[in-house]
Amino acid sequence: MSAGHAPATDNQFLPVDSPEEVSLTVGGRVLPGKDLTKQTPSARKPQRSESDVYRQLLSELHSSAGDENSGMAVRMVDIRRQLTEFQLHYKFGMDEVLTKINVLREEFEHTRDYSPIEHVNYRLKSLDRILDKVQRYGAEPTLESIRHSIRDIAGIRITCSFVSDAYWVAEMLCSQPDLRVVEVKDYIRTPKVNGYQSLHVIVQVPVFLSNRTEFVYVEVQIRTVAMDFWASLEHKIYYTYDGEVPGDILDELRDAAVKAAALDQQMASIRDRVTALKDQAPVSGQGATGPTPRDRATTGAWFPSDDAMGTTWNWEDIAKHAGGPHEAPQS
């Protein structure tokens, strides 16, 4: 992220129009191995009122702020410091993942004829949105509980041209050994009831601070241009009607989702036909349509070793391992 571009809040995703707009803040260290275990938030508890959620969080922050003999002004400054530190950790984690995505993007743009990444957007949830989700989930309104139960505070959205590109990007990103893949949801193969389609990947990324390493949750959504157009319109309609969307409009949205999926299939079919004309394709590569999945070269290992750290995962492996035994989430 460049200086002067603050993270978006709530559900607003800011575009990354070019790789130069994202600060390169790589930690510079690699974790040994990888963990692809699924970690599920605890079961939801009865909802508290909005005022109760705010009151309990403020009480928790106040009890851990400064010395008991400190004045109110000192304690309020410490509360603000706690909240700033909490939000900064998610910004740092998002910066780390954005850097990884833009490294891939620049590599494709400068060394290949085709990039599977069309657009990259990002956002951070505001405190109001976080506490709204705490209330709906019935989670404890403490910073420690929020860290473990709310996993989409930092969000990144990648838009691709083709469905196969979405899986391709997910595989390249999830194969990186310093990312811990926590959970995957494949709404492309199994769309939501309302027609929504996308890949959702929740990862933990190490953030190297001055005195410790924090593992921060970041949600990455990967979808095609058609899926993104549908989702953006559905989101606007949902908030226009304050969640109470008329049934006939919902039916039309589901029908539009089917047509968007058909458009993705049709465009992929055209791509396959064009790239099949090998003699007419550019000799330097596949040109604007990119290689078909079967024509792509096998991605090389990140490290010259025979263990899991040196392998490249495909989407089936990622989904299988992320759905494995439950484990306590990393702090």
Side-chain angles (χ1 to χ4, degrees):
M1 246 172 284
S2 64
H5 281 270
T9 56
D10 305 340
N11 291 311
Q12 175 191 5
F13 278 76
L14 286 180
V16 178
D17 295 325
S18 65
E20 287 74 17
E21 291 191 13
V22 178
S23 60
L24 301 179
T25 56
V26 176
R29 295 166 58 189
V30 176
L31 295 179
K34 68 162 67 225
D35 184 356
L36 296 177
T37 56
K38 180 178 180 180
Q39 301 159 8
T40 304
S42 56
R44 297 185 181 183
K45 300 177 182 179
Q47 287 191 6
R48 301 176 180 82
S49 69
E50 183 177 348
S51 60
D52 286 342
V53 170
Y54 276 89
R55 191 179 299 113
Q56 186 169 342
L57 177 61
L58 184 60
S59 175
E60 190 256 345
L61 292 171
H62 191 272
S63 65
S64 59
D67 187 84
E68 291 184 1
N69 298 321
S70 301
M72 180 58 70
V74 174
R75 295 174 72 85
M76 291 303 294
V77 167
D78 196 55
I79 288 174
R80 184 175 65 179
R81 179 196 59 77
Q82 292 181 62
L83 290 173
T84 300
E85 185 179 60
F86 174 80
Q87 290 182 305
L88 275 177
H89 290 176
Y90 286 97
K91 177 189 178 299
F92 297 154
M94 187 170 64
D95 284 346
E96 294 282 358
V97 179
L98 280 169
T99 296
K100 292 176 176 295
I101 293 167
N102 280 284
V103 165
L104 295 173
R105 189 181 188 182
E106 286 195 65
E107 178 193 2
F108 278 100
E109 289 178 351
H110 293 291
T111 66
R112 316 229 187 139
D113 293 325
Y114 175 78
S115 173
I117 300 174
E118 290 285 345
H119 309 291
V120 181
N121 303 327
Y122 60 93
R123 65 100 179 93
L124 285 178
K125 278 188 182 296
S126 68
L127 185 59
D128 285 346
R129 292 292 186 184
I130 293 171
L131 292 182
D132 176 65
K133 204 161 190 177
V134 167
Q135 182 184 4
R136 287 190 285 115
Y137 277 23
E140 289 296 320
T142 64
L143 294 186
E144 188 63 25
S145 173
I146 292 171
R147 285 190 185 97
H148 292 303
S149 58
I150 310 298
R151 296 174 172 175
D152 63 346
I153 294 175
I156 299 172
R157 181 178 300 150
I158 303 173
T159 308
C160 306
S161 294
F162 303 104
V163 172
S164 60
D165 286 348
Y167 287 103
W168 190 15
V169 171
E171 290 167 0
M172 288 187 286
L173 188 63
C174 292
S175 294
Q176 299 195 21
D178 56 343
L179 284 183
R180 193 185 303 268
V181 182
V182 176
E183 184 178 359
V184 298
K185 294 181 180 179
D186 190 343
Y187 293 122
I188 295 179
R189 293 178 179 170
T190 308
K192 289 186 177 183
V193 175
N194 65 350
Y196 175 85
Q197 295 185 73
S198 183
L199 293 181
H200 287 198
V201 180
I202 296 176
V203 299
Q204 278 186 318
V205 59
V207 173
F208 301 101
L209 303 171
S210 59
N211 59 350
R212 67 189 187 279
T213 301
E214 290 278 350
F215 287 86
V216 177
Y217 288 116
V218 178
E219 182 187 56
V220 182
Q221 299 176 2
I222 311 172
R223 59 180 67 154
T224 66
V225 174
M227 295 174 192
D228 190 59
F229 173 68
W230 182 94
S232 297
L233 180 60
E234 190 268 350
H235 180 77
K236 292 175 183 176
I237 292 174
Y238 183 87
Y239 279 94
T240 298
Y241 285 95
D242 196 23
E244 300 295 329
V245 184
D248 60 325
I249 295 181
L250 290 175
D251 291 339
E252 287 196 52
L253 279 172
R254 280 190 286 267
D255 181 60
V258 172
K259 291 176 179 176
L263 176 62
D264 276 331
Q265 293 178 358
Q266 184 177 12
M267 296 306 294
S269 176
I270 294 172
R271 182 269 316 272
D272 293 346
R273 289 168 56 193
V274 171
T275 54
L277 303 175
K278 299 292 186 181
D279 293 338
Q280 298 179 29
V283 294
S284 60
Q286 298 291 340
T289 61
T292 62
R294 66 176 179 273
D295 290 332
R296 292 175 189 147
T298 302
T299 306
W302 276 265
F303 296 94
S305 63
D306 295 328
D307 58 17
M309 189 169 141
T311 61
T312 302
W313 296 85
N314 60 38
W315 178 252
E316 286 69 23
D317 290 332
I318 293 166
K320 180 177 68 175
H321 286 278
H326 293 178
E327 217 179 71
Q330 296 285 333
S331 59

